[in-house]
Amino acid sequence: MLQELSIQNLALIENLTLNFKNGFSTLTGETGAGKSILLDALGLALGERADSALVRHNTARADVSALFDLEELPHVQDWLIEQELDDDRQCYLRRTVTSEGRSKAYINGRPIPASQLKSIGNLLIDIHGQHEHQSLLSGHQQLTLLDAYANHPKLLDSSKNYFKHWQGLKHKLDHLLSDQADFHSKLELLQFQHNEFEETAPLPGEFAELSEEQSKLSHASEIKQACQNAYEAIEGERGASDQLNQAIHELESIIDFSPALESSLKQLNSALIEAQEAASEIQSQAESVEIDPLYLQTIDERLTQLFGLAKKYHIDPEELIEKQQQIEQSLQELEASDQSVDELKTEIEQAWSDYQTAAKALSQSRHKAAKKLAKIVTDGMQQLGMPNGQFEVRLDESATASATGLDKVEFRVTANKGQPLQALAKVASGGELSRISLAIQVATAEVASLPTLIFDEVDVGIGGGIAEVVGQKMRQLGQHKQILSITHLAQVASHGHCHLHISKQTEADQTFTHVMELDENGRIEELARMMGGLKITEQTRNHAQEMLKVAQQKTT
């Protein structure tokens, strides 16, 4: 539930903190006192669009925060935990707006996008506006209201998920069929490319190996001659081996007289061994090199073939194997596409069957809820001054499937005895539509999962005994939920468990909005003001006192 709303520098409000209670609270005051500002402030805290025009004149920033108790709202606590925003069963929403129009949003002190405020706000508060009855003429809104009353989110999710699955498979089939439009030309091209690669038959690592072999054969004479020269330089007469042997012999002859040369002698022996090993490897390499013009020609021709194929496909020769694999995969997929289409059609049939089953279950739940809603709204209409009023929720099969099922909804009413039920838009006058809207709102509010409901002057155009009924209904709702109602009707305000008065005052050439909770005497004065004219008489006060006494005795 909403525990506290704090507002700074918003429109006419300089600094205001409101504490809210359980039950039914009424908010009253003169026109223009600032009742709508409270809703604007709450809307900001719940993620509505920020408007710099709301920032109080000559101030830099407006700041609004709302505190909610989540002890009985485990699903909201779970949402906060998922978002890593939880804080010991409390939810503290804050929004700031600068005079330049920049805004910031916070949940439990942590900065977040405003969209997250809206997401959690939808789990906390439901606001019924005074112009909401206009949206009742929309078939989509009528379906939404029926689903809200039926309270079957799992059935809605099931229908939505099966519809998306069926729709996704259809798109996939359309794509496949589009590909098949030029199936033969694609198949012919891929088969040609496949044959071309099969004919060339590139092998992994082949190009690199052949390139190295080509380089060796192309320079065979130079390699052989260089190896022979190197071998002679090491093992030939007066070569490196002879020179090293001579040096070793000289040192060995005097080593007994100069032990310090022992290290140099070891190095020379190692150098001799390494030189001889190198000479052996050079000789072996020289012997392995063959001057073979025919083999070189074969390699040149193979490399030319690989180069040619790579150039044709605008790739490097090293990428030929990868390209061949891509062609083979595409060819396999295309050849299997006929089979894929048949399999996909079978999947689509099953998906459509699953969707129809889900939509049928949803429809059955709607039909059941429609009968209950029709009875409750009919009773509400009759209590609200239409004794012969009748309300019906008509469900027909829609011509097109959608994520919300196969139903189309039409609210049908008659306000007069003997008149047939017709579409809401055709038969309801402005006043009747307002009362019908209120009856529907109260009916759906009874089953709403949200803990806090706000009614913003939904009782406009209603008076007398009908207003008394409205007050009773809201008080009844307040037994189970937190109800806030902005009203101009004393009959409604008298039924509140709590009464907040909103006033506008001018101080030092500035205007301020103030809110205070009224005690019993204050409530009597405010009810007398709401009922009376320019001058409040003692008789009006007595009437207000009696109205408050009677209303507070009614708890159901």
Side-chain angles (χ1 to χ4, degrees):
M1 59 166 279
L2 176 63
Q3 288 186 312
E4 182 180 282
L5 179 66
S6 297
I7 308 169
Q8 290 183 337
N9 298 325
L10 189 78
L12 299 179
I13 299 176
E14 182 180 39
N15 196 336
L16 176 67
T17 298
L18 287 175
N19 294 303
F20 295 96
K21 300 178 180 179
N22 282 325
F24 173 32
S25 298
T26 63
L27 292 85
T28 67
E30 295 280 4
T31 300
K35 297 185 293 298
S36 63
I37 298 174
L38 297 181
L39 285 185
D40 289 338
L42 190 57
L44 276 177
L46 297 174
E48 296 295 335
R49 187 180 70 85
D51 187 350
S52 60
L54 291 173
V55 180
R56 184 174 174 83
H57 182 60
N58 287 334
T59 62
R61 183 183 70 183
D63 195 322
V64 179
S65 60
L67 179 64
F68 294 85
D69 178 17
L70 305 181
E71 186 170 358
E72 298 181 4
L73 295 172
H75 62 290
V76 181
Q77 295 181 47
D78 291 342
W79 186 93
L80 288 170
I81 291 172
E82 288 175 6
Q83 305 297 321
E84 298 182 349
L85 297 168
D86 55 303
D87 186 14
D88 193 26
R89 294 185 299 184
Q90 282 195 338
C91 179
Y92 182 71
L93 309 182
R94 182 182 173 215
R95 186 83 174 278
T96 63
V97 185
T98 68
S99 56
E100 291 83 19
R102 294 188 299 274
S103 74
K104 294 181 180 179
Y106 307 85
I107 295 180
N108 289 333
R110 277 159 274 188
I112 45 88
S115 58
Q116 281 195 303
L117 282 182
K118 201 166 184 66
S119 295
I120 196 170
N122 291 333
L123 303 175
L124 294 169
I125 289 182
D126 190 12
I127 299 177
H128 296 266
Q130 58 177 305
H131 302 296
E132 189 167 339
H133 59 270
Q134 297 172 358
S135 66
L136 280 179
L137 305 182
S138 159
H140 173 74
Q141 179 64 12
Q142 292 174 5
L143 181 63
T144 300
L145 278 171
L146 176 60
D147 284 333
Y149 181 77
N151 192 23
H152 47 208
K154 290 183 178 179
L155 292 177
L156 282 169
D157 287 343
S158 180
S159 175
K160 177 182 178 181
N161 292 335
Y162 279 121
F163 177 78
K164 284 188 172 181
H165 179 57
W166 170 72
Q167 200 172 46
L169 290 174
K170 280 191 65 185
H171 287 321
K172 189 174 180 180
L173 177 62
D174 291 341
H175 180 70
L176 267 180
L177 293 175
S178 175
D179 284 347
Q180 283 195 327
D182 53 352
F183 174 84
H184 293 293
S185 60
K186 285 184 178 180
L187 182 62
E188 185 177 338
L189 174 61
L190 286 172
Q191 286 176 336
F192 173 80
Q193 292 175 338
H194 173 73
N195 293 336
E196 199 168 30
F197 271 84
E198 284 286 302
E199 185 178 330
T200 303
L203 299 173
E206 179 186 17
F207 180 78
E209 292 176 7
L210 290 178
S211 296
E212 183 180 346
E213 190 69 17
Q214 182 197 46
S215 178
K216 185 190 292 185
L217 289 172
S218 299
H219 302 86
S221 297
E222 295 95 322
I223 294 172
K224 204 171 189 68
Q225 185 62 52
C227 287
Q228 290 173 350
N229 292 341
Y231 181 81
E232 286 296 324
I234 298 171
E235 296 290 359
E237 187 177 351
R238 303 302 297 168
S241 292
D242 284 349
Q243 297 294 327
L244 287 170
N245 274 317
Q246 178 65 32
I248 291 169
H249 177 73
E250 293 295 336
L251 290 180
E252 284 178 342
S253 66
I254 53 99
I255 195 65
D256 291 337
F257 311 117
S258 183
L261 292 171
E262 182 69 35
S263 175
S264 299
L265 181 59
K266 287 182 180 180
Q267 288 177 329
L268 288 172
N269 277 308
S270 295
L272 176 60
I273 293 171
E274 289 181 5
Q276 290 172 337
E277 288 177 352
S280 178
E281 290 177 7
I282 291 170
Q283 185 181 39
S284 176
Q285 182 66 26
E287 291 173 353
S288 69
V289 174
E290 297 182 6
I291 301 175
D292 189 346
L294 291 178
Y295 184 40
L296 177 59
Q297 182 180 355
T298 301
I299 291 178
D300 286 342
E301 290 173 355
R302 179 58 175 168
L303 287 173
T304 299
Q305 187 181 25
L306 295 175
F307 264 118
L309 188 61
K311 183 178 180 182
K312 183 173 183 179
Y313 287 91
H314 305 288
I315 58 176
D316 293 328
E318 293 87 346
E319 299 173 316
L320 286 172
I321 296 298
E322 182 181 354
K323 182 64 178 178
Q324 184 178 20
Q325 292 172 346
Q326 291 174 356
I327 292 172
E328 289 176 351
Q329 182 178 352
S330 298
L331 182 59
Q332 291 172 2
E333 290 176 355
L334 192 61
E335 289 175 337
S337 64
D338 277 338
Q339 182 180 354
S340 297
V341 167
D342 292 336
E343 292 175 354
L344 199 52
K345 286 180 178 178
T346 302
E347 288 185 49
I348 289 173
E349 289 178 5
Q350 182 60 51
W352 174 249
S353 176
D354 293 339
Y355 167 71
Q356 284 184 309
T357 300
K360 184 177 180 181
L362 179 60
S363 184
Q364 289 173 344
S365 178
R366 283 171 174 161
H367 276 87
K368 185 177 179 180
K371 292 180 180 179
K372 293 181 180 179
L373 181 60
K375 184 179 185 309
I376 293 176
V377 175
T378 294
D379 292 344
M381 288 172 60
Q382 293 174 357
Q383 293 171 9
L384 291 171
M386 291 179 278
N388 297 309
Q390 294 289 326
F391 181 84
E392 176 188 77
V393 180
R394 179 170 176 173
L395 281 164
D396 293 310
E397 187 173 343
S398 175
T400 56
S402 72
T404 56
L406 291 167
D407 295 317
K408 63 178 181 179
V409 173
E410 184 179 67
F411 287 176
R412 298 167 65 84
V413 298
T414 180
N416 302 302
K417 192 173 183 179
Q419 296 297 315
L421 290 159
Q422 295 186 49
L424 187 62
K426 294 182 179 180
V427 298
S429 66
E432 289 173 340
L433 187 57
S434 178
R435 280 180 281 172
I436 294 168
S437 170
L438 182 58
I440 293 172
Q441 290 166 18
V442 171
T444 54
E446 288 178 345
V447 295
S449 60
L450 299 181
T452 300
L453 305 174
I454 298 177
F455 292 90
D456 179 20
E457 298 186 7
V458 296
D459 46 23
V460 170
I462 296 172
I466 298 173
E468 175 79 9
V469 173
V470 172
Q472 292 174 6
K473 286 187 174 294
M474 290 192 178
R475 187 177 179 88
Q476 181 180 348
L477 286 175
Q479 303 298 320
H480 311 287
K481 298 180 182 294
Q482 183 185 43
I483 306 296
L484 307 177
S485 175
I486 295 175
T487 182
H488 286 288
L489 299 179
Q491 295 95 323
V492 174
S494 65
H495 284 82
H497 297 102
C498 170
H499 192 148
L500 300 174
H501 181 246
I502 304 168
S503 61
K504 183 171 62 176
Q505 299 176 10
T506 301
E507 302 171 10
D509 296 327
Q510 292 194 59
T511 303
F512 301 87
T513 290
H514 297 279
V515 181
M516 65 178 295
E517 182 178 349
L518 300 177
D519 59 15
E520 183 176 353
N521 290 331
R523 293 189 73 171
I524 292 171
E525 284 296 313
E526 175 62 4
L527 293 176
R529 180 198 67 77
M530 296 170 75
M531 292 188 298
L534 295 176
K535 184 178 180 180
I536 300 176
T537 66
E538 195 61 33
Q539 183 179 1
T540 305
R541 287 190 178 90
N542 291 335
H543 186 191
Q545 184 177 18
E546 179 66 18
M547 176 183 289
L548 182 62
K549 179 181 178 181
V550 171
Q552 292 300 303
Q553 289 174 346
K554 296 180 179 180
T555 58
T556 59

